[in-house]
Amino acid sequence: FRTHDLCLRDILAHKVGLDDYTPFQFMGLNLTGEKLLSRLRYFDELQPFRAGFSYSNLMYGLAGHVLERLTNDTWINLLHQRLTVPLGMDNTHTAQEVLQGRGREHL
């Protein structure tokens, strides 16, 4: 199965070829990186592995999970430390932060 050969380049280039299942993100399901990785093999195939572009928010979530594992920090902390804070984006919050009550004053 493709998970054996899957690499970050495939994930970030949207070359995985699986259905996105973005509604999972909006149905209140807590689809963690670990859960996503374990269920990846059951996702519907849209096209053969590496055969073409197939946009996927969930695959970027998986890339965030890989970053967490490599750095031993949370994706949210990494996002702020390496992107939003250096760019002065003080009112930028993730959906998870907003759901936890942070940043709602800017909605």
Side-chain angles (χ1 to χ4, degrees):
F1 186 74
R2 73 187 74 220
T3 53
H4 183 268
D5 297 319
L6 185 65
C7 67
L8 276 177
R9 182 179 304 232
D10 299 318
I11 293 169
L12 297 176
H14 301 284
K15 297 285 189 174
V16 179
L18 298 178
D19 199 352
D20 187 33
Y21 292 98
T22 301
F24 283 147
Q25 297 170 313
F26 304 109
M27 292 184 336
L29 298 177
N30 185 14
L31 193 58
T32 64
E34 288 291 337
K35 288 179 186 175
L36 176 59
L37 189 58
S38 71
R39 295 175 183 173
L40 198 59
R41 69 181 60 237
Y42 304 110
F43 282 27
D44 293 329
E45 184 178 76
L46 293 177
Q47 57 187 323
F49 184 49
R50 296 182 178 147
F53 179 89
S54 178
Y55 184 83
S56 175
N57 281 333
L58 287 176
M59 290 302 106
Y60 264 70
L62 183 58
H65 173 68
V66 171
L67 286 173
E68 289 178 340
R69 298 281 300 268
L70 290 174
T71 64
N72 202 31
D73 201 352
T74 68
W75 176 82
I76 291 173
N77 284 342
L78 292 167
L79 176 71
H80 290 308
Q81 290 171 3
R82 297 179 181 238
L83 185 69
T84 61
V85 170
L87 292 174
M89 300 170 64
D90 301 326
N91 296 326
T92 302
H93 305 280
T94 65
Q96 182 179 355
E97 290 173 311
V98 171
L99 289 171
Q100 294 171 347
R102 292 176 280 182
R104 289 185 182 192
E105 64 275 6
H106 301 290
L107 293 179

